[in-house]
Amino acid sequence: MDKKDIRSIITCFFENNFPKELILKFQFWFSKQENKDLKDEILNELWEKETAEANELTIYGLEEMGRRIEKRSACLSLPQRILRIAGIFLLPVAGSLLTYWLMNNPDDKSVTAHNTQMVEYIVPDGEMQQVTLPDGSEIWLNAGSMLLYSGDFSGPTRTLFLNGEATFNVIKDPERPFIVKTQYMQVQALGTTFNVKSYNNTSLTEVTLEEGLVRVDVNGKVTVSEVIYPDEQFVYDHRYATTSKYRIDAELVAKWREGYLVFQDATFEDIIHTIERRFKVIVNYDIRRYGGGTFSIKYMPYENVEQVLTILETLNPGLKWTKENDIITIK
């Protein structure tokens, strides 16, 4: 691929000319070491030409991105030429942690992404999708999720990579363990039904077991291995390097498949992210004002975003919101 082609691809992405369904393909290509010097050269040229200036929201966004990739100090000291296009750069490629991990983790031998044809499912915000794997296992993917696996699904393990939320109903095959990998966690099951929630814009990775038995391995700031039993939920918070295990109604957790929104001791931030994915909206709010505290709420499938926000308003004295098209502002 020559410089002209690479420039065209990168420019289209930064100009938001990629449909969401192609973003994952861009992330794979962008993350590879192939033509790395040319990619860097073109990025530098685009940065130098960009005249947009960073504002307070840009800086806040960079801080959030820094927390997500655990390099906050590096983000805060970015050169001015990068800050000039930070508003453009804070696109899905900035948050594609799963992709970067998959492409650059030298210890992972379960897939060789450079020479294996990958199958990917990308579920846009506001939608859900059911997937049947080659072995007959069934998966429900929630809004804003990405799922990847080797096209022939062969090998000693059935390994998938998830960014988002999914419920897995696994066909038993003792000879080929079923493994779900997220950025910080690996979940292994022989035959079972379980839910995994691991969005890259939140600090929590959650595994909830409905039936069967799974083993959870965390490889982050802490190294933990736990066996999870039915109606248990295992939670890893990579921001604070903590793990927890709770007794929980697993069927209630998976109610999102039927259109319910169920929050059990959820943070305000988690609720907002879920609302954005479910209703395809953007919610602007001050996390410093509404951070802290947890909420337990259940929304019915027929409730729209206005009804959801009205109920949230009653739980937060002083909260007011306005909606213009797909932009919601909480004051």
Side-chain angles (χ1 to χ4, degrees):
M1 183 177 294
D2 60 23
K3 185 175 180 179
K4 181 179 178 181
D5 293 332
I6 295 174
R7 181 190 298 277
S8 176
I9 293 173
I10 293 176
T11 300
C12 284
F13 184 82
F14 284 141
E15 290 179 352
N16 294 310
N17 288 334
F18 274 13
K20 188 166 185 176
E21 288 72 16
L22 292 181
I23 287 174
L24 185 60
K25 294 180 182 294
F26 174 87
Q27 292 168 348
F28 267 113
W29 171 83
F30 188 74
S31 303
K32 289 182 178 180
Q33 294 298 310
E34 182 182 358
N35 296 314
K36 181 179 183 299
D37 291 340
L38 278 178
K39 293 172 186 175
D40 290 342
E41 181 182 344
I42 292 167
L43 284 175
N44 282 329
E45 291 175 4
L46 292 174
W47 284 332
E48 292 296 340
K49 290 181 180 179
E50 180 57 45
T51 59
E53 296 294 332
N55 55 27
E56 291 183 1
L57 288 177
T58 305
I59 302 301
Y60 174 74
L62 282 170
E63 292 176 353
E64 280 296 296
M65 185 176 72
R67 281 191 285 269
R68 292 173 196 170
I69 63 176
E70 300 174 357
K71 294 180 181 178
R72 180 175 182 180
S73 59
C75 283
L76 294 177
S77 61
L78 287 174
Q80 187 62 31
R81 65 190 180 92
I82 295 180
L83 288 176
R84 286 210 307 267
I85 68 153
I88 298 175
F89 190 72
L90 290 174
L91 290 163
V93 68
S96 61
L97 303 180
L98 173 66
T99 302
Y100 292 124
W101 170 78
L102 172 60
M103 299 301 298
N104 297 306
N105 184 355
D107 298 325
D108 186 8
K109 308 301 182 184
S110 58
V111 62
T112 53
H114 292 282
N115 53 31
T116 300
Q117 181 65 38
M118 301 294 289
V119 175
E120 69 264 7
Y121 289 92
I122 303 176
V123 183
D125 291 345
E127 299 182 18
M128 291 183 289
Q129 185 173 351
Q130 188 174 17
V131 175
T132 300
L133 297 176
D135 69 341
S137 298
E138 295 182 347
I139 303 173
W140 274 98
L141 290 167
N142 206 348
S145 297
M146 299 179 183
L147 180 75
L148 303 94
Y149 61 88
S150 174
D152 55 9
F153 214 51
S154 61
T157 66
R158 296 170 286 171
T159 301
L160 306 93
F161 301 86
L162 173 69
N163 174 25
E165 183 172 18
T167 295
F168 299 86
N169 190 355
V170 180
I171 295 295
K172 291 184 179 180
D173 185 349
E175 301 300 322
R176 300 177 63 231
F178 191 96
I179 297 173
V180 179
K181 289 179 176 285
T182 68
Q183 186 190 359
Y184 299 103
M185 189 181 291
Q186 173 176 299
V187 184
Q188 180 174 331
L190 290 176
T192 186
T193 301
F194 60 100
N195 192 86
V196 179
K197 185 176 182 181
S198 178
Y199 286 99
N200 59 28
N201 59 355
T202 67
S203 66
L204 302 181
T205 301
E206 303 172 358
V207 178
T208 308
L209 183 62
E210 287 190 38
E211 60 182 59
L213 199 68
V214 299
R215 191 185 76 209
V216 176
D217 293 293
V218 176
N219 185 17
K221 293 180 180 178
V222 296
T223 301
V224 177
S225 183
E226 287 270 1
V227 174
I228 309 301
Y229 296 91
D231 285 326
E232 286 188 341
Q233 182 180 77
F234 180 87
V235 181
Y236 171 58
D237 187 330
H238 71 260
R239 183 179 300 174
Y240 299 104
T242 60
T243 62
S244 306
K245 189 161 67 172
Y246 307 97
R247 293 292 301 175
I248 199 167
D249 185 344
E251 290 187 1
L252 193 61
V253 171
K255 279 288 187 180
W256 59 264
R257 291 174 294 182
E258 302 170 28
Y260 291 89
L261 285 177
V262 181
F263 301 101
Q264 301 180 76
D265 295 322
T267 65
F268 189 86
E269 182 182 16
D270 186 33
I271 293 172
I272 294 301
H273 285 315
T274 303
I275 290 173
E276 288 180 320
R277 291 190 296 265
R278 168 63 66 87
F279 298 106
K280 296 181 66 174
V281 296
I282 297 173
V283 182
N284 297 318
Y285 72 102
D286 186 347
I287 193 172
R288 293 167 297 183
R289 179 176 180 182
Y290 292 103
T294 59
F295 303 87
S296 295
I297 320 170
K298 180 179 178 181
Y299 295 106
M300 304 301 288
Y302 55 79
E303 291 181 299
N304 57 33
V305 66
E306 289 83 3
Q307 292 170 311
V308 168
L309 288 169
T310 298
I311 295 174
L312 192 61
E313 186 178 20
T314 63
L315 299 175
N316 291 268
L319 184 152
K320 300 295 179 183
W321 59 272
T322 58
K323 182 174 182 292
E324 184 175 352
N325 298 321
D326 294 329
I327 307 296
I328 296 168
T329 301
I330 295 178
K331 301 177 179 179

